[in-house]
Amino acid sequence: MTLVLRHSEISALLDRSEVFTAVERALADLSTGAAQNPAPPSMNGTEDGRIIPMVAQSGTSELAVVKVLSDLPGNRARGLPRQRSTMLVTSTRTGECVAMLDGRAITAIRTAAASAVATAHLARNDSSVVGVVGAGNLAVEHVRALHGVRDIESVVVWSRSADTVERFRESLADLDLKIDHALSVEDVVRQSHIVCTLTPSVEPILFGQWLIAGTHLNVVGAAPRPNEREVDGDAMAQSRVVVDSTATALSKSGDALLAIAEGAVDESHFDTELGDVITGRKSGRSTDAEITLFDSTGIGLEDLAVAELVVQRARAAGVGLELDLTS
């Protein structure tokens, strides 16, 4: 039987602490070879749209996923989300279609969880101020995720919209954090121990000349396109960079590819995967003064780890629609 789950059902089932553990384990499996995550292709859609099939397989769970990600800038004019996705989960043992899932909630929460895993392994232990560039739903998810791995006392947030910042503040009221609205991205960087860039920026919005010794950055927001980025080459050159997948970063991360094209760094700057740091195969932060940067492109294996959790919880709770696709 195939389980079909809607966005609202998935959102109600997700537990952030479980997601953190699942994503961390999946990234470690990628490092040891227990999981596979090839770099995704990218196909032309209508207008400037791109269709990106993201695939991954886990020997631990005996599951595989195909997520079809649509990145459609033209949707903004239609009042629709720029990115949409649907996931198909398959048993690698029997070939059965296990589940069909809307990708919105899984993508947002696994993205924040990956940043939290990176922060847990790379940020200084005494980090207490989080800076977020962008104040939308992904920013809210990041603060919640980071709150679980460091003793966060305050948040510095920048957005072009004061209304968005106010909604951000209201969404995090239960955490009882001090939240300051910064006047600029530079102010965020200079005041924070951990900085998360969460914007759909095409040109750099954060520059290396602003960086402070000891900072950890999660560079997350730019679309998976080789010509779009949030940070400049100088920021990359100054940082100890860790990626979720080297193959994916060198095909889809504009932050990486444009820094290489400019001569700020070379490909070897991106040869450390987060899973290698988790398993101890490679080092992460070497000193308190080092600047670390997680270049988060997002990979299908993270989706698969969370999809497995969702399916288990849904079936235990009797949530969703079960269909026999072979009938």
Side-chain angles (χ1 to χ4, degrees):
M1 298 292 285
T2 301
L3 178 65
V4 180
L5 290 171
R6 298 174 296 173
H7 167 69
S8 58
E9 294 167 327
I10 293 169
S11 297
L13 290 165
L14 285 168
D15 177 272
R16 289 175 180 83
S17 62
E18 290 184 352
V19 171
F20 175 94
T21 301
V23 168
E24 184 178 50
R25 183 174 61 247
L27 291 168
D29 284 348
L30 183 61
S31 175
T32 62
Q36 300 174 54
N37 193 102
S42 182
M43 300 178 288
N44 293 330
T46 56
E47 300 170 342
D48 188 30
R50 305 295 294 173
I51 307 299
I52 303 171
M54 301 169 65
V55 302
Q57 177 268 339
S58 169
T60 304
S61 65
E62 296 187 328
L63 294 173
V65 71
V66 177
K67 178 169 95 168
V68 179
L69 170 65
S70 301
D71 180 47
L72 308 171
N75 265 359
R76 288 174 175 164
R78 304 180 183 98
L80 297 172
R82 171 173 171 169
Q83 293 190 351
R84 294 173 131 174
S85 60
T86 304
M87 300 179 190
L88 193 68
V89 182
T90 300
S91 166
T92 59
R93 177 177 289 274
T94 67
E96 177 188 13
C97 178
V98 174
M100 185 180 300
L101 311 171
D102 180 77
R104 178 179 161 195
I106 291 175
T107 301
I109 293 179
R110 67 82 158 145
T111 300
S115 292
V117 172
T119 300
H121 289 274
L122 297 171
R124 289 169 47 165
N125 290 330
D126 61 355
S127 298
S128 62
V129 181
V130 170
V132 289
V133 181
N137 291 333
L138 192 55
V140 172
E141 287 298 336
H142 268 71
V143 172
R144 291 193 177 279
L146 299 183
H147 190 263
V149 299
R150 286 294 183 270
D151 186 13
I152 304 303
E153 297 175 358
S154 64
V155 177
V156 183
V157 57
W158 176 87
S159 171
R160 291 186 175 91
S161 167
D163 289 342
T164 302
V165 171
E166 188 56 36
R167 287 193 295 272
F168 171 85
R169 194 189 303 274
E170 291 170 357
S171 297
L172 294 168
D174 59 298
L175 296 184
D176 195 29
L177 293 170
K178 181 177 181 287
I179 298 178
D180 293 325
H181 185 181
L183 297 178
S184 67
V185 177
E186 181 177 358
D187 286 344
V188 172
V189 175
R190 294 194 180 279
Q191 295 179 51
S192 305
H193 304 137
I194 301 165
V195 177
C196 304
T197 59
L198 306 161
T199 71
S201 185
V202 176
E203 300 293 337
I205 199 169
L206 185 153
F207 296 88
Q209 65 189 34
W210 301 337
L211 294 178
I212 305 298
T215 302
H216 171 69
L217 298 97
N218 297 305
V219 176
V220 180
R225 296 180 178 228
N227 61 340
E228 300 186 13
R229 61 176 172 176
E230 292 185 293
V231 305
D232 71 348
D234 183 30
M236 285 290 184
Q238 289 191 54
S239 302
R240 163 65 164 150
V241 176
V242 175
V243 299
D244 38 23
S245 159
T246 296
T248 300
L250 293 179
S251 65
K252 293 293 181 294
S253 170
D255 290 287
L257 292 168
L258 291 171
I260 293 170
E262 293 168 352
V265 295
D266 59 28
E267 289 191 1
S268 67
H269 206 64
F270 304 94
D271 65 2
T272 297
E273 297 183 347
L274 183 51
D276 296 330
V277 177
I278 294 167
T279 59
R281 295 160 69 92
K282 292 189 177 180
S283 62
R285 172 177 293 278
S286 59
T287 68
D288 280 349
E290 187 174 37
I291 297 168
T292 54
L293 186 154
F294 175 51
D295 183 12
S296 173
T297 312
I299 58 175
L301 186 61
E302 296 162 356
D303 295 313
L304 179 57
V306 183
E308 181 186 9
L309 277 179
V310 167
V311 170
Q312 291 173 348
R313 279 179 156 257
R315 287 197 160 136
V319 174
L321 177 65
E322 296 273 9
L323 295 175
D324 183 358
L325 298 183
T326 65
S327 63

